């Protein structure tokens, strides 16, 4: 690992100043960043550790006038046990990594981790995301890669929380602005080169996410598929949030993970559901619509994600519709 | 050689045989032996240290003067076009640089060591490697990373000078082909396995100290293996003139630690009217990088009629596969045991009934009966995919063979000391079978001591590091330990007999005392009688003619498959495995359960991933190179099947090797029973399962 200067700011102002230094990287739990540093992929000159911050609300889950706010330094273990947040968010948090990882990993770190791609995470393949011009996965090893928006880089966003927060219509707060979840991430072709995965400026710090009050009473479900039963990232995940009125879907928001470079809204499926009573047939139609326009990579080794995603989404829709009476 | 009568067999089946016992070895413990320590349960000695992270491995070694790291090739094949070790040598803290390659060298796999650096701190060594990586240039060429790549007409050449591996043939190909063609029924299938790594829990590390001209370098690789790390440490210690601790990165270890080859096997069987197999023709491709790994030998269990195998061993630009548990036969057992299941289904018989028809071996039959009872084989649905709902359950089984008696030449040193009691040491690291506990039990049994009275030290410098084969560690070191204890016991008896004026035969070693005719000495006091003659080296002999020189075993699996998502849960695995004499049931059971977990891991998750265009190694960490975790573990019923074997003085056989092999076929066969979907590729990873259930759904219900 390359040597670096180490900062442990106590206040948000100190943190911002430290993080604006050239070559600075922000560390919370460090689960993703330290891995990248050990591999020689991330080589910061300055490491800004947020864990010394004296800002208690960064570590808290609590009600606000507008909903429930989750501080960026809340650990995944705390989130998985927080009764104030919807069950689908707790379920997603509780399925990440291992207990040891969840005790350290934070909500902010989960949202801002780099995408999962073995070329990106290996030092010697200088791919699009690392400033190169090539995508090695496009005609290479691609079983876990995206099936939507695959140009120029199909590395999927790896956050388990993001699709759920997207379905919950959450907002992200930084030290300087508020963003809807949908505008937090950058598609690879939108960024300056491929180096950035999100819209935050250098030195800008994610401080919290907030689930609006309106989303708390909605019916929800989360499903994911992965290789191992633990210690793995979802190959595909589906988060469904339904507003049911008189047995019909008044509104639907669906987030998909593992299928695109950024967490994906399944708008076609939402449209299919709106105004109708959920039946197995409707859930199937919606799920098909969500994946109808998938564009797996040319070799097709990731095409299974469409059928797998369809099955998961259909179940999540049925479960959300059935689980309305369940406590959130 | 002494001809000795002994009784071999297992509960419900024993028979007397004669064995020739080499001079120096005691008569084997046989089916009637009444043993006190051997066969009793005992906790693993180092268990507490291991779970409390107090165990020390080579990488933990303190007091190294210098720390070394090894740079490996990122792509393959490449030719080194620039390599300037001076840039690296000038980096802060660097004391020695050793280049394994020079300009112009061609490198055939990613992970091949290029250069090693020793520095004052580990961090400096790592930073120097980054400099080295930037200073080395390669010319990249198109690789052939898979068996299919090597079959293309324009396939890149892998071995120098156009060389090709010869491959293997066995059996009478014409006779087998004729038998297959003339049989009334015909069945064929192709099985594929992807390459897998065989890293250790701790990446390789080794410590080397420079010496004079006579003893050039002393290398210690205590706790884990360390061939490549040892080479780096030794070279750098010589250059720097100081002790060096070298550690491989996880990625390098996963490339260099050996592994399972890639394989493709095409099996064609002719099936007779009564369901017997008239002939089997196996055509195979097995690829292990640039080295050659033998394919599956003719399966010894079954009568397969006329059998022939023709196998090619194409070289690829992939890390070498080297012996790990069952290197030559994981793919062989997977293919054959899956294929027998397919044959049984084709002729409409129960797969276990088919095996009973093809195999009359009394040990196999006994193991099958026990395994079938423990899994509840009578619950198995006759028709695949018969269950209702989306989560379907099924049962499958597979057999295994292999392992066997130990190898000659394994050394155990016993030192008896009046003050410290008996110390036992071997030159090799403990590969995990619990050698300290098990060898101590054997020595204690022979000397009439409590096992706690025996101290143990593995991986002692200056004893031969050459381990016969870690799969056979107990089967090799066990008899060596017994021989050493037997010789030591003989000397103690003689010394006591001389002192007391009694016959040697009258002297007994029991209860920690040496006694005869009412006189006795504490063990330590008796050791003092030996004077300077208290060190004994035991060496394992070549195996005797045994009851069963090869192990047999079987595994039965119950699985649940979600036929919409391909989610697989392995519910239960019953493993019954011949282990010869079970020295310690607790350790044998945990070892067997561990082998089942490895078998499950290789069946479902493990795959070494090499980029098809760059030849780069993409599965260099444990998130990409997936190993089954605790949450993937099924209920495991592990039954080491105690067999009096007389193949060596202890009667112990290698337990680990063969028990890894059948798990994949047992799971695959259970998946078929649950769903009617046949998985013919390893690993049966989630993407393959998801694809398979999607294909099956599109195909719709099959006409019966």
């Amino acid at each position: 690992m390359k040597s670096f200067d180490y900062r442990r700011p106590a206040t948000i102002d100190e943190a911002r100043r430290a993080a604006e230094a050239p070559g600075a990287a922000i560390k919370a739990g460090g689960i993703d960043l330290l891995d990248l540093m050990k591999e020689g992929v991330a080589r910061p000159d300055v490491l800004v550790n947020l864990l010394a911050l004296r800002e208690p609300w960064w570590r808290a889950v609590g009600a606000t006038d507008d909903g429930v706010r989750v501080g960026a330094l809340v650990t995944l273990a705390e989130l998985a046990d927080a009764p104030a947040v919807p069950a689908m968010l707790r379920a997603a948090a509780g399925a990440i990594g291992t207990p040891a990882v969840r005790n350290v990993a934070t909500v902010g770190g989960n949202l801002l981790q780099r995408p999962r791609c073995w070329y990106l995470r290996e030092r010697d393949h200088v791919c699009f995301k690392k400033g190169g011009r090539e995508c090695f996965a496009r005609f290479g090893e691609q079983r876990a890669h995206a099936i939507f928006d695959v140009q120029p880089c199909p590395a999927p966003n790896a956050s388990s929380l993001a699709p759920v927060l997207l379905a919950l219509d959450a907002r992200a707060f930084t030290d300087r602005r508020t963003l809807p979840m949908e505008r937090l991430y950058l598609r690879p072709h939108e960024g300056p080169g491929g180096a950035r995965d999100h819209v935050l400026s250098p030195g800008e710090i994610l401080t919290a996410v907030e689930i609006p009050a309106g989303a708390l009473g909605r019916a929800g479900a989360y499903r994911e598929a992965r290789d191992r039963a633990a210690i793995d990232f979802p190959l595909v995940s589906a988060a469904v949030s339904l507003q049911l009125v008189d047995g019909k879907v008044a509104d639907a928001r669906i987030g998909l993970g593992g299928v695109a470079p950024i967490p994906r809204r399944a708008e076609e499926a939402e449209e299919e559901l709106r105004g109708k009573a959920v039946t197995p047939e409707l859930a199937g139609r919606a799920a098909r619509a969500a994946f109808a326009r998938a564009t797996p990579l040319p070799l097709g080794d990731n095409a299974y994600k469409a059928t797998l995603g369809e099955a998961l989404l259909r179940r999540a829709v049925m479960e959300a519709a059935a689980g309305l009476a369940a406590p959130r | 050689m002494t001809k000795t009568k002994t009784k071999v067999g297992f509960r419900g089946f024993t028979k007397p045989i004669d064995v020739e016992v080499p001079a120096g070895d005691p008569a084997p413990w046989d089916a009637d032996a009444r043993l006190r320590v051997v066969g009793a349960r005992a906790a693993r000695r180092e268990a507490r240290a291991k779970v409390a992270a107090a165990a020390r491995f080579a990488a933990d070694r303190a007091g190294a003067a210098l720390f070394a790291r090894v740079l490996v090739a990122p792509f393959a094949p490449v030719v080194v076009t620039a390599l300037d070790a001076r840039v690296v040598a000038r980096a802060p803290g660097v004391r020695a640089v050793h280049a394994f390659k020079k300009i112009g060298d061609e490198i055939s796999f990613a992970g091949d060591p290029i250069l090693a650096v020793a520095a004052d701190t580990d961090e400096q060594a790592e930073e120097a490697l980054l400099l080295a990586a930037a200073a080395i240039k390669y010319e990249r060429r198109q690789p052939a990373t898979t068996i299919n790549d090597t079959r293309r007409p324009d396939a890149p050449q892998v071995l120098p000078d156009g060389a090709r591996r010869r491959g293997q043939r066995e059996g009478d190909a014409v006779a087998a082909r004729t038998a297959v063609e003339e049989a009334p029924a015909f069945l064929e299938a192709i099985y594929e396995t992807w390459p897998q790594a065989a890293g250790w829990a701790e990446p390789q590390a080794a410590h080397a100290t420079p010496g004079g001209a006579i003893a050039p370098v002393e290398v210690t690789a205590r706790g884990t293996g360390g061939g490549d790390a040892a080479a780096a440490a030794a070279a750098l210690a010589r250059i720097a003139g100081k002790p060096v601790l070298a550690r491989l990165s996880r990625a390098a270890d996963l490339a260099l630690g050996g592994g399972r080859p890639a394989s493709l096997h095409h099996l064609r069987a002719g099936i007779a009217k009564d369901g017997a197999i008239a002939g089997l023709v196996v055509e195979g491709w097995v690829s292990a990088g640039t080295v050659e790994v033998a394919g599956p030998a003719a399966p010894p269990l079954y009568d397969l009629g006329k059998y022939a195998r023709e196998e090619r061993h194409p070289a690829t630009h992939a890390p070498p596969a080297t012996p790990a548990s069952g290197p030559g036969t994981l793919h062989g057992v997977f293919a054959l045991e899956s294929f027998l299941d397919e044959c049984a289904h084709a002729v409409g018989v129960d797969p276990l009934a088919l095996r009973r028809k093809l195999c009359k071996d009394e040990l196999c039959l006994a193991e099958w009966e026990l395994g079938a009872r423990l899994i509840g084989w009578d619950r198995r649905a006759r028709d695949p995919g018969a269950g209702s709902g989306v989560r379907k359950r099924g049962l499958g089984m597979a057999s295994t063979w292999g392992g066997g008696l130990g190898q000659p030449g394994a050394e155990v040193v016993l030192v008896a000391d009046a003050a410290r009691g008996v110390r036992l040491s071997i030159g090799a690291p403990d590969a995990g079978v619990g050698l300290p506990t098990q060898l101590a039990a054997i020595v204690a049994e022979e000397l009439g001591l409590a096992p706690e009275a025996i101290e143990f030290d593995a991986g002692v410098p200056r004893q031969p590091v050459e381990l016969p084969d870690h799969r056979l560690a107990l089967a090799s070191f066990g008899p060596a330990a017994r021989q050493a204890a037997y010789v030591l016991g003989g000397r103690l008896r003689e010394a006591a007999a001389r002192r007391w004026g009694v016959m040697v035969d009258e002297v007994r070693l029991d209860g920690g005392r040496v006694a005869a005719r009412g006189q006795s000495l504490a063990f330590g006091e008796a050791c003092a009688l030996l004077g300077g003659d208290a060190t004994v080296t035991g060496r394992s002999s070549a195996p005797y003619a045994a009851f069963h020189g090869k192990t047999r075993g079987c595994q039965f699996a119950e699985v649940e498959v979600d036929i919409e998502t391909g989610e697989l849960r392995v519910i239960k695995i019953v493993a019954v495995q011949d282990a010869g004499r079970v020295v310690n049931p607790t350790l044998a059971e945990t070892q067997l359960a561990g082998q089942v977990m490895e078998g499950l891991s290789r069946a479902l998750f493990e795959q070494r991933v090499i980029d098809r265009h760059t030849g780069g190694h993409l599965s260099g960490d444990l998130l990409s190179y997936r190993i089954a975790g605790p949450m993937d573990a099924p209920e495991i019923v592990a039954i080491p099947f105690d067999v009096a074997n007389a193949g060596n003085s202890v009667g112990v056989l290698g337990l680990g090797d063969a028990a890894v092999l059948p798990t994949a076929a047992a799971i695959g066969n259970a998946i078929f029973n649950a769903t009617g979907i046949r998985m013919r590729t390893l690993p049966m990873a989630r993407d393959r399962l998801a694809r398979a259930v999607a294909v099956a759904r599109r195909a719709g219900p099959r006409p019966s």
Side-chain angles (χ1 to χ4, degrees):
Chain A
M1 189 185 295
K2 179 171 154 288
S3 299
F4 50 83
D5 288 336
Y6 186 52
R7 303 265 191 278
R8 299 180 81 236
T11 67
I12 183 80
D13 283 337
E14 284 173 37
R16 184 186 300 133
R17 276 198 302 276
E20 279 170 353
I26 298 172
K27 172 193 161 295
I31 296 290
D32 191 44
L33 181 61
L34 295 190
D35 265 2
L36 291 165
M37 288 169 67
K38 286 184 208 164
E39 295 297 332
V41 174
R43 304 183 62 195
D45 299 311
V46 181
L47 191 66
V48 183
N49 189 350
L50 299 183
L51 295 184
L53 279 176
R54 291 194 300 265
E55 308 273 1
W57 59 274
W58 281 48
R59 300 172 192 274
V61 178
T64 63
D65 291 346
D66 301 321
V68 172
R69 186 177 289 209
V70 179
L73 294 181
V74 169
T75 67
L76 298 180
E78 289 162 350
L79 185 63
D81 278 340
V85 305
M88 59 195 282
L89 187 58
R90 296 203 301 267
I96 296 167
T98 64
V101 167
R102 293 195 291 276
N103 285 339
V104 176
T106 64
V107 168
N110 182 270
L111 291 173
L112 299 182
Q113 66 184 300
R114 299 227 65 191
R116 292 303 316 174
C117 168
W118 35 33
Y119 297 100
L120 165 61
R121 286 168 181 276
E122 194 274 344
R123 194 185 61 214
D124 297 295
H125 288 86
V126 184
C127 71
F128 179 79
K129 275 279 183 197
K130 287 186 288 202
R133 277 187 304 217
E134 230 174 316
C135 169
F136 296 91
R138 186 166 173 78
F139 292 99
E141 315 314 317
Q142 50 181 239
R143 71 185 285 273
H145 284 79
I147 53 171
F148 290 102
D149 298 331
V150 298
Q151 297 266 36
C153 165
N157 180 285
S159 170
S160 295
L161 302 184
V164 183
L165 291 171
L166 194 58
L168 291 170
D169 201 10
R171 291 182 286 268
F173 295 87
T174 76
D175 60 325
R176 56 197 80 165
R177 57 180 160 161
T178 307
L179 288 159
M181 273 303 293
E182 294 192 77
R183 290 197 15 230
L184 179 59
Y185 296 101
L186 280 176
R187 291 183 174 82
H189 63 84
E190 294 169 340
R196 282 173 56 201
D197 314 316
H198 50 72
V199 300
L200 305 192
S201 318
E204 187 173 4
I205 301 171
L206 183 74
T207 58
V209 292
E210 187 175 72
I211 302 154
L216 295 176
R218 292 164 64 135
Y222 174 75
R223 291 272 184 159
E224 64 172 49
R226 50 190 176 184
D227 281 289
R228 287 181 291 199
I231 333 173
D232 239 325
F233 290 84
L235 291 162
V236 185
S237 66
V240 175
S241 173
L242 302 179
Q243 187 184 0
L244 295 167
V245 177
D246 299 333
K248 288 186 176 163
V249 176
D251 189 28
R253 281 183 68 93
I254 296 173
L256 300 176
V259 296
I262 68 171
R264 180 178 170 86
R265 271 282 293 281
E267 285 168 353
E268 302 89 340
E270 295 171 2
E271 190 54 43
E272 189 69 47
L273 293 171
R274 225 162 264 139
K276 298 170 195 148
V278 175
T279 62
E281 293 70 32
L282 178 69
R285 268 207 309 284
R288 272 196 299 284
F291 290 92
R293 301 217 305 249
T295 53
L297 291 170
L299 300 177
D301 289 352
N302 62 346
Y304 72 94
K305 283 194 171 186
T307 50
L308 178 55
E310 208 181 298
L312 293 177
L313 178 54
R314 182 161 46 75
R315 285 189 188 177
V317 169
M318 291 303 295
E319 191 182 319
L324 180 60
R328 51 163 219 265
Chain B
M1 289 280 179
T2 317
K3 189 175 253 186
T4 307
K5 282 208 180 309
T6 186
K7 194 192 270 184
V8 295
F10 48 92
R11 200 197 305 181
F13 179 93
T14 52
K15 65 179 181 185
I17 61 168
D18 290 333
V19 289
E20 297 274 348
V21 176
D25 273 4
W29 288 321
D30 74 356
D32 291 334
R34 294 285 165 267
L35 305 177
R36 187 175 47 87
V37 183
V38 168
R41 290 183 181 274
R44 184 185 283 263
R45 285 187 171 201
E46 70 282 15
R48 192 185 159 76
K50 279 188 172 166
V51 296
R56 289 169 56 74
F57 295 88
D60 302 325
R61 175 141 183 158
L66 301 175
F67 295 84
R69 291 278 171 178
V70 180
L71 182 72
V72 301
F75 309 114
V78 292
V79 176
V80 180
T81 55
L83 191 162
D84 186 356
R86 285 169 305 179
V87 177
V88 187
R90 285 196 295 268
V94 169
R95 302 294 168 204
V97 181
H98 174 72
F100 293 99
K101 305 286 185 214
K102 57 184 189 303
I103 290 172
D105 281 357
E106 180 163 341
I107 293 168
S108 72
F109 68 95
D112 202 3
I114 291 180
L115 180 138
V117 177
D120 292 335
T121 69
D122 199 25
E123 292 73 22
Q124 288 171 331
E126 274 197 58
E127 289 204 34
L129 273 203
L130 290 176
L131 277 180
I136 297 172
K137 302 276 179 270
Y138 312 96
E139 181 191 311
R140 277 162 56 182
R141 294 178 182 169
Q142 175 67 27
T145 62
T146 64
I147 290 170
N148 275 332
D149 284 350
T150 66
R151 295 167 71 188
R152 290 198 315 254
D154 60 341
Q157 179 62 37
V158 178
L159 297 174
D161 307 323
R164 287 192 179 279
R165 299 278 179 220
R166 272 215 313 274
Q168 282 179 316
R169 283 166 193 269
E170 66 176 326
D172 182 339
V174 175
R177 233 174 262 135
T178 309
V180 168
E181 281 159 16
E182 290 177 353
F186 170 76
L187 191 71
E188 67 180 327
I190 294 175
Y191 302 89
E192 180 185 33
T193 68
W194 286 82
Q196 299 183 325
W200 298 61
E202 294 276 322
Q204 286 184 41
H207 185 264
T209 48
I214 300 163
V217 181
E218 173 199 307
V219 175
T220 312
R222 193 182 304 224
T224 57
D228 294 283
L236 293 166
R238 203 173 285 129
I239 296 166
K242 288 181 176 176
V244 172
L245 173 63
R247 291 183 273 212
L248 292 190
S249 68
R250 175 66 69 186
D253 191 58
L254 282 170
L256 291 168
R260 309 294 162 79
S263 73
L264 268 178
H265 280 97
H266 182 187
L267 275 64
R268 288 179 291 158
I271 304 173
K273 276 213 176 62
D274 65 349
I277 293 184
L280 180 65
V281 175
V282 179
E283 187 181 14
W285 291 261
V286 176
S287 170
T290 53
V291 302
E292 186 160 22
V293 167
L301 302 187
Y302 305 114
D303 177 3
L304 298 170
K306 305 284 185 202
Y307 175 86
R309 177 170 65 101
E310 181 178 2
E311 197 166 82
R312 294 166 190 84
H313 297 158
T316 50
H317 294 110
T322 46
S325 303
T329 52
L330 177 71
H331 45 274
V333 171
F334 172 65
L336 182 74
E337 290 289 326
S338 300
F339 191 61
L340 287 180
D341 204 73
E342 299 206 40
C343 290
H345 178 70
V347 298
V349 304
D350 177 276
L352 189 51
L354 175 70
R355 284 176 177 80
R356 286 186 175 125
K357 191 183 191 73
L358 302 178
C359 168
K360 300 298 179 201
D361 179 289
E362 61 278 341
L363 183 49
C364 284
L365 294 172
E367 289 180 343
W368 286 337
E369 189 183 333
L370 180 58
R373 184 153 52 78
L374 292 172
I375 198 79
W377 188 253
D378 51 6
R379 293 180 295 137
R380 181 180 178 275
R382 242 199 72 217
D383 297 321
S388 58
V390 295
R391 288 178 186 276
K392 296 190 182 242
R393 289 206 177 189
L395 295 177
M397 61 85 58
S399 284
T400 182
W401 56 92
L405 296 161
Q407 291 172 318
E411 282 189 9
V412 170
V413 177
L414 279 187
V415 180
D417 183 307
R420 292 183 57 196
V422 178
R423 275 169 297 141
L424 144 65
S425 59
I426 59 174
D430 178 19
V433 303
L435 286 178
T437 317
Q438 308 220 48
L439 298 184
I442 291 167
V443 170
E445 182 76 51
E446 190 66 37
L447 294 177
L449 293 171
E452 301 75 40
I454 318 286
E455 280 183 48
F456 180 87
D457 202 2
V460 177
R462 295 210 178 85
Q463 284 197 39
V465 178
E466 285 303 309
L467 183 60
D469 182 336
H470 68 252
R471 293 170 284 169
L472 301 172
L474 185 60
S476 304
F477 286 113
R482 188 171 175 216
Q483 188 200 59
Y486 174 72
V487 171
L488 179 65
R491 288 191 198 162
L492 284 169
R493 280 196 191 93
E494 281 168 22
R498 264 201 307 279
R499 171 152 180 177
W500 295 327
V502 302
M503 304 289 288
V504 172
D505 287 354
E506 294 177 88
V507 181
R508 295 214 173 322
L509 307 178
D510 195 19
R513 300 193 73 80
V514 179
R517 287 205 214 165
Q519 309 188 75
S520 86
L521 285 171
F523 192 85
E525 294 166 348
C527 290
L529 301 178
L530 297 179
D533 203 14
T535 300
V536 181
T537 300
R539 252 178 224 96
S540 55
S541 310
Y544 320 155
F547 169 47
H548 273 295
K550 297 280 182 196
T551 56
R552 277 111 174 76
C554 57
Q555 290 180 21
F556 290 74
E558 178 170 15
V559 304
E560 182 179 271
V561 185
D562 185 320
I563 55 165
E564 290 179 353
T565 66
E567 184 181 359
L568 168 71
R569 266 185 53 72
V570 181
I571 311 259
K572 181 173 182 175
I573 291 183
V574 173
V576 183
Q577 185 69 40
D578 168 20
R581 177 171 302 283
V582 176
V583 173
N584 178 330
T586 303
L587 294 197
E589 286 161 12
T590 52
Q591 192 191 344
L592 183 50
Q595 305 299 347
V596 169
M597 275 308 285
E598 183 183 339
L600 178 142
S601 185
R602 295 193 179 283
L604 305 184
F605 303 116
E606 295 184 41
Q607 179 170 342
R608 184 185 264 158
V609 181
I610 305 296
D611 180 76
R612 62 194 80 188
H613 301 297
T614 65
H617 179 206
L618 301 179
S619 51
D621 62 58
L622 295 179
L623 277 173
S624 304
Y625 190 80
R626 290 183 174 78
I627 296 172
M631 298 290 282
D632 302 301
E635 178 193 351
I636 299 173
V637 180
I639 313 280
F641 204 73
D642 204 331
V643 179
N645 191 289
N648 53 49
S649 65
V650 179
V652 64
L653 278 86
L655 174 62
D657 179 8
V660 173
L661 309 180
T663 319
I667 291 172
N669 294 342
I671 291 173
F672 179 77
N673 181 238
T675 64
I677 294 169
R678 178 61 66 182
M679 299 300 292
R680 297 193 182 93
T681 300
L682 293 188
M684 298 178 272
R686 186 65 189 270
D687 53 335
R688 295 193 174 104
L689 288 163
R691 205 174 294 130
V693 295
V695 167
R697 216 167 37 246
R698 273 199 295 277
R702 294 195 302 181
S704 52

